[in-house]
Structure formats: structure tokens, C-alpha cells
Amino acid sequence: MTKEITAPDFSLEEAAFARGLTRVAGVDEVGRGPLAGPVTAAAVVLNPNNIPAGLNDSKKLTAKRREALTEEILDVADVCIAHCTVEEIDEHNILRASHIAMERAVAGLNSAPDHLLIDGNLIPSGLQISSEAIVKGDARSLSISAASIVAKTARDTIMMDLAQQFPGYGWETNAGYPSKKHREALVELGVTPHHRRSFKPVHNILYQAKN
């Protein structure tokens, strides 16, 4: 028996439309796990009559495909991309920072949505409109998959730019995640202003440097 290959669809959005909701936004974030760089979120309201073909969980797509789809999404949808800085991550914690980025993305849409499909199992506390948390939402909802693609493309671009300013950490390929090269560079080159000091590998190096 072959395993069924599933792709995101528009059924969650259509269920919301059936309840009388008209502007449904998919919301996702990227960048919880890296040791460096911001956490980035996107909110996307797709046009049901003009949905780009090939939307999927951003992790299942190549960088080139994500970039092409991002251009298509920006052309036909209401999109807002928002960030939480390294300083904010260290001040709040990564979960709250990722929720703040999501709240900012929703607030930045051209027209306010009346329902949100949010990737994950938690609804950010600052979102006071009708919302559903969808586990593995980027693989289930086309709106969330669009948000995941846009957010990942935006954050990867930021990390590539930072990689040129701070060479040696491999951010152009690891996007700030704790790859072997990144962890070795932290020890050899030290901590940059773009590292998350509240994250244990970074905190430990700063602690060792003081002692």
C-alpha cells in the first residue's frame, strides 16, 4: 500500500467562509531555532480566485522555488512580513517573540482579516480576533503555506545580508541555525551583535569569556 501524498488545500478557509467569515489570513513564523538573527512572521490573505500553483510547506520546497512563489504571492495576495529583533527575543523569550512577530504581521495587512489560521498549537495572546491554531498548518492550509514561504524567503534574505557583514559563521547556508560550522565559528570568532544571548550555546560562550 503506497503512502498517500498530501498537499495543503483550501478546505479550512472554505469552512470559515461557510461560517460567514470573509477575509481569512494564514499566519506562520520562521526562525525559532537559530542562534542568530530575528524571528520572522508573515500573514497572507489569498484571493480564492487566484491562488498560486505549487504552494506547500516551505521546508519541502527549494530556495529557488520559494523565491519564485514569494513573488507570485506578493503579486496576488494581501501580505505583511514582520520581525522580532534579537534584543526582543532576549527580552521576552523566543516563543513570545515569535508571537509578537505574528501579531505585527496581522496588524500590518492592508485590510483587517476577520479570521486567522495560525500554524502551531497556540494562539498569540495579542490577537483579539477569531482564530484557529492548526498543528502542521503549513502542510494543511494553502494560506498558512503561503505565509511560511514568504516568511522563510524574507528571513533567509536577511541572513544572507548579515553573512556578508559577518563572514565565517556560514549564515548564507545555515540561516543562523546551530550547524557545526556555526558552532565552531562561535568559539573561534566570538559572539556578534546578531547572536541571541539568551540561547544556551551563545550564553555559555559569553559566560566562559567572562571567567
Side-chain angles (χ1 to χ4, degrees), residues 8-14 17 21-27 43-56 69-80 109 111 113-115 117 137-138 140-150:
D9 60 30
F10 213 57
S11 58
L12 289 164
E13 291 85 345
E14 285 166 348
F17 297 153
L21 300 157
T22 58
R23 278 184 61 78
V24 179
V27 186
V44 176
V45 180
L46 290 172
N47 176 349
N49 300 313
N50 193 1
I51 298 174
L55 296 179
N56 208 329
L69 280 168
T70 293
E71 301 241 338
E72 286 187 57
I73 295 163
L74 293 172
D75 279 346
V76 300
D78 184 2
V79 179
C80 181
L109 289 166
S111 299
D114 55 13
H115 189 63
L117 300 172
D138 44 8
R140 294 177 57 194
S141 155
L142 286 170
S143 299
I144 298 176
S145 66
S148 81
I149 290 164
V150 170

Side-chain angles (χ1 to χ4, degrees), residues 107-157:
L109 289 166
N110 290 328
S111 299
D114 55 13
H115 189 63
L116 305 175
L117 300 172
I118 299 166
D119 185 58
N121 60 358
L122 295 170
I123 294 170
S125 58
L127 294 173
Q128 303 299 316
I129 59 176
S130 169
S131 302
E132 288 175 77
I134 311 292
V135 174
K136 293 189 164 44
D138 44 8
R140 294 177 57 194
S141 155
L142 286 170
S143 299
I144 298 176
S145 66
S148 81
I149 290 164
V150 170
K152 179 151 180 56
T153 301
R155 189 179 183 281
D156 284 353
T157 301

